[in-house]
Amino acid sequence: NAGVTQTPKFQVLKTGQSMTLQCAQDMNHEYMSWYRQDPGMGLRLIHYSVGAGITDQGEVPNGYNVSRSTTEDFPLRLLSAAPSQTSVYFCASTSGGNTGELFFGEGSRLTVL
Amino acid sequence: AQSVTQPDIHITVSEGASLELRCNYSYGATPYLFWYVQSPGQGLQLLLKYFSGDTLVQGIKGFEAEFKRSQSSFNLRKPSVHWSDAAEYFCAVALMEYGNKLVFGAGTILRVKS
């Protein structure tokens, strides 16, 4: 079972470049989310989606865009990368809102120079 | 504001010793509480969760946690730690008024001495 798949696993960008982190899940989960993990700060929610066509902002949405055209996919876009966006990004999904178990991808490590 | 505090950044225990990781939350309503574990280079895996009912919940890998409303705590325990338990542990609370999104604590890194 694939579960939650994130690509790429590693990426280096220059300041000002744009890129998309891909996230796909094959569990037919309605709820998907993106977190960033920084040392000493735990995981912070960037954006989330409760279903296709519906997205909302989390705690730290600035500099990121998302869309949810299908149930399976939830890409995260960095429009103009900044060094402050250097982080490890995790995509997660769950069924039935967020009171159930979150299933995490393996993470994408992004470095912005 | 809603928050989760894990007071210990690092904890070191000897293999076979007992373990308790602390978690305190700040949330007005009845919380949904979780403990996740992250091994190096991996995503997070759910250890256990509390929604309601019995305040002592059992999880995977021999872990348990106790919800204490009076202390706003949800501490994680294990009677005998194994070397494979070395990882980072995160406590989290679900905010029902924000689509039940999870707010995570900063994490506690567990080191196990042999």
Side-chain angles (χ1 to χ4, degrees):
Chain A
N1 292 334
V4 179
T5 303
Q6 291 182 233
T7 57
K9 286 187 171 21
F10 301 94
Q11 183 72 49
V12 179
L13 291 177
K14 294 180 180 178
T15 297
Q17 286 185 315
S18 62
M19 78 157 299
T20 299
L21 298 177
Q22 302 291 345
C23 176
Q25 53 91 8
D26 61 0
M27 297 173 283
N28 202 32
H29 285 166
E30 290 296 320
Y31 183 98
M32 296 185 73
S33 54
W34 277 101
Y35 288 84
R36 60 177 290 174
Q37 183 179 27
D38 302 292
M41 304 190 73
L43 281 80
R44 292 179 292 168
L45 182 65
I46 304 171
H47 285 284
Y48 66 99
S49 168
V50 297
I54 306 169
T55 63
D56 206 346
Q57 296 181 348
E59 302 170 71
V60 289
N62 293 340
Y64 307 94
N65 277 357
V66 292
S67 59
R68 185 90 181 273
S69 56
T70 67
T71 299
E72 294 77 20
D73 299 300
F74 191 44
L76 178 72
R77 297 183 185 85
L78 284 71
L79 302 177
S80 178
S84 61
Q85 294 178 302
T86 294
S87 187
V88 181
Y89 292 85
F90 287 96
C91 180
S93 72
T94 189
S95 59
N98 203 16
T99 54
E101 176 180 355
L102 270 181
F103 292 84
F104 283 84
E106 293 189 346
S108 298
R109 183 176 294 275
L110 175 66
T111 301
V112 183
L113 302 175
Chain B
Q2 303 87 354
S3 65
V4 176
T5 303
Q6 294 180 244
D8 304 304
I9 299 174
H10 297 99
I11 281 187
T12 301
V13 300
S14 297
E15 191 169 15
S18 64
L19 170 70
E20 182 169 32
L21 301 182
R22 296 183 290 164
C23 172
N24 292 96
Y25 66 90
S26 171
Y27 185 51
T30 299
Y32 291 175
L33 295 161
F34 304 80
W35 274 100
Y36 282 84
V37 60
Q38 183 182 30
S39 298
Q42 301 295 313
L44 279 71
Q45 180 185 21
L46 180 70
L47 281 177
L48 47 79
K49 59 188 177 185
Y50 170 79
F51 289 167
S52 64
D54 193 348
T55 57
L56 184 64
V57 293
Q58 302 296 321
I60 63 171
K61 304 184 181 186
F63 285 91
E64 66 178 26
E66 186 171 13
F67 170 59
K68 293 185 177 179
R69 185 186 300 276
S70 61
Q71 299 177 18
S72 297
S73 69
F74 188 56
N75 294 349
L76 182 71
R77 300 194 294 249
K78 187 170 185 178
S80 177
V81 169
H82 188 263
W83 65 265
S84 61
D85 293 324
E88 189 163 14
Y89 292 79
F90 293 93
C91 182
V93 62
L95 305 183
M96 289 177 282
E97 64 269 35
Y98 294 106
N100 293 332
K101 70 179 183 183
L102 287 188
V103 174
F104 285 85
T108 298
I109 296 172
L110 173 65
R111 299 190 179 111
V112 180
K113 294 188 300 185
S114 57

